[in-house]
Amino acid sequence: MTASSAQTLIPVNDMVRILQENVAVLDNARAALASGWWLNGTEVREFCKAFADYVGTDYCLGVANGTDALEIALRAICDIRGGTGAEAVTVANAGGYSTIACRLVGLTPVFADIERGSQLASLPSVVSAVTDETRVVIVTHLYGGVVDVPRLRAMMDEIGRGNVPIIEDCAQAHGVRLGARRAGSMGDISTFSFYPTKNLGAFGDGGAILTSDQALADHCRKLHQYGWSAKYNIVHPYGRNSRLDEVQASVLRTLLPRLDEWNDKRLTIIDAYSDAAPSSIGVVRSADGTVGHLAVLLTENRDELIQHLIDHGIMTDIHYPILDCDQAGWQELPQRLAPGGIPVSRVSVSQLLTLPCFPTMTEAEIGRVCAALSSWTR
Ligand SMILES: Cc1ncc(COP(=O)(O)O)c(C=O)c1O
């Protein structure tokens, strides 16, 4: 069979179906607009309360997107927790977002390596990169997986670095659990994106910062609205405007009750791909827990596999094709690698391939992807 046959292309994601399955979103958004209160109103308040309850933190602040959330959280950590270090330990394979935030607040990124099977930070590599210069460690719960933050904290404690704050970037892992705790409740502060394709996605941009530390929460609240302590009173020099709006909050509030069900569906899809894929293909998966976000493969024959999938009417993508340390825009700026370098990140970057995975995929579509994987003979 080829793409020219009668079967439709299977996309990597499909936003139209999300809307079709959730028309209540439109009614609630219309009601939010009809209230005449389009910013800083009830919808944002109620969503933030529900989301903090869901994740298991005391505070949740809505912001405009996940990158702002990272930048504001980083700045708050630097302001509130003090320290003189000028470096942030992160990974190079997570799409650049943590590095962008480091650049914006003036911290030098130090790239730790990853584990091949999960593509998550290697804890020994992270710990080896922590020095007197480290102001903060940023862990990214990539592809729906979860980094063992309590274990990382214990390992940092063992080398006398237990006071270094940890930020969790949960933009790809809404709802994932490590034991009884959800990602976003284990570090000092955490950030989320509600970009439409995320596990919990808005109908536009959105983000949030969560913490149970009142001083951090208060500081982020000031930073996200002009550095105000109260209306028109600027008390912080680096405040800015980054707000979640009422319509997006109403969308998120409507969709939050479906998050666990959708996470289960994503995981079912990834399980089906794992069963169907030949042994030459690795399906990326976190051993400590996963909700499924992107279905990501590792293959030594990526170009040929992409063509094979296109021939079967299946679209693919690559998350992410360039490591942060190799991005052209940052070559003039300082950066450092963990002492052992990042060999696993380097090998993986040319082998990653993302398959369709979204909760409204039909059984027929999942079956077609599985059949295409099973028929791959290389
Ligand atoms: C891991 C990760 N962190 C941060 C972000 C940034 O989120 P946003 O696109 O909402 O700025 C994204 C998403 O796009 C992401 O995948």
Side-chain angles (χ1 to χ4, degrees):
M1 184 189 63
T2 67
S4 59
S5 67
Q7 283 183 311
T8 51
L9 278 177
I10 303 174
V12 173
N13 254 304
D14 190 337
M15 298 300 101
V16 172
R17 292 189 218 175
I18 296 274
L19 178 59
Q20 284 165 346
E21 265 212 13
N22 296 281
V23 281
V25 163
L26 294 180
D27 298 333
N28 294 347
R30 193 173 293 115
L33 284 171
S35 75
W37 198 278
W38 297 348
L39 288 165
N40 292 344
T42 322
E43 290 296 332
V44 170
R45 233 177 359 260
E46 291 298 319
F47 168 69
C48 284
K49 188 172 171 310
F51 196 58
D53 283 351
Y54 176 84
V55 172
T57 61
D58 291 343
Y59 305 99
C60 169
L61 174 72
V63 294
N65 57 67
T67 312
D68 283 2
L70 275 168
E71 181 194 344
I72 292 169
L74 261 186
R75 197 181 289 286
I77 285 279
C78 292
D79 290 346
I80 297 291
R81 295 294 174 85
T84 53
E87 291 184 346
V89 178
T90 182
V91 287
N93 69 323
Y97 310 102
S98 60
T99 302
I100 290 170
C102 288
R103 296 306 187 194
L104 290 169
V105 302
L107 291 173
T108 296
V110 179
F111 299 112
D113 206 9
I114 56 170
E115 303 287 349
R116 181 167 169 87
S118 66
Q119 296 286 299
L120 297 174
S122 149
L123 300 191
S125 178
V126 171
V127 172
S128 76
V130 175
T131 67
D132 286 345
E133 273 303 301
T134 308
R135 196 75 168 265
V136 60
V137 171
I138 306 169
V139 297
T140 303
H141 302 297
L142 199 65
Y143 305 151
V146 63
V147 176
D148 189 339
V149 176
R151 175 89 196 106
L152 174 60
R153 171 76 70 208
M155 288 168 72
M156 295 201 328
D157 257 336
E158 279 163 23
I159 58 158
R161 305 277 182 194
N163 59 336
V164 174
I166 298 175
I167 298 184
E168 294 176 77
D169 179 355
C170 309
Q172 299 193 8
H174 310 65
V176 71
R177 288 178 189 275
L178 183 83
R181 299 177 73 175
R182 287 199 201 271
S185 67
M186 300 182 285
D188 294 78
I189 192 165
S190 63
T191 61
F192 287 81
S193 164
F194 303 121
Y195 182 79
T197 58
K198 301 303 187 197
N199 293 55
L200 179 63
F203 285 12
D205 274 320
I209 301 169
L210 281 77
T211 182
S212 291
D213 180 314
Q214 189 179 353
L216 282 175
D218 288 347
H219 201 69
C220 289
R221 198 166 290 286
K222 289 179 192 133
L223 288 174
H224 97 118
Q225 260 206 136
Y226 317 115
W228 284 355
S229 58
K231 212 169 177 186
Y232 307 131
N233 279 280
I234 296 171
V235 294
H236 192 285
Y238 297 110
R240 33 113 97 249
N241 174 15
S242 180
R243 291 183 289 234
L244 181 66
D245 69 65
E246 288 287 291
V247 169
Q248 298 309 333
S250 87
V251 170
L252 293 166
R253 198 147 82 93
T254 312
L255 298 183
L256 180 58
R258 299 201 67 183
L259 175 57
D260 289 338
E261 171 204 336
W262 283 341
N263 282 345
D264 289 348
K265 177 73 186 284
R266 286 180 195 260
L267 211 45
T268 308
I269 295 168
I270 292 170
D271 283 343
Y273 294 169
S274 296
D275 290 345
S279 57
S280 62
I281 291 177
V283 178
V284 173
R285 181 146 188 164
S286 150
D288 292 321
T290 183
V291 283
H293 171 55
L294 300 172
V296 176
L297 309 179
L298 287 163
T299 168
E300 288 177 15
N301 301 293
R302 182 163 70 188
D303 291 346
E304 294 90 332
L305 182 55
I306 290 172
Q307 189 55 53
H308 173 78
L309 291 166
I310 288 172
D311 291 344
H312 286 75
I314 297 158
M315 317 252 309
T316 58
D317 203 344
I318 297 173
H319 297 89
Y320 295 92
I322 304 174
L323 295 173
D324 294 15
C325 50
D326 296 335
Q327 289 286 2
W330 289 322
Q331 290 312 301
E332 303 302 314
L333 297 179
Q335 62 179 23
R336 194 163 73 73
L337 301 185
I342 54 167
V344 182
S345 309
R346 288 231 172 271
V347 170
S348 302
V349 72
S350 58
Q351 300 185 349
L352 296 164
L353 187 63
T354 304
L355 297 183
C357 180
F358 50 96
T360 50
M361 261 182 105
T362 65
E363 291 307 313
E365 287 171 327
I366 299 165
R368 274 176 60 197
V369 178
C370 288
L373 286 174
S374 327
S375 66
W376 174 246
T377 50
R378 302 227 13 213

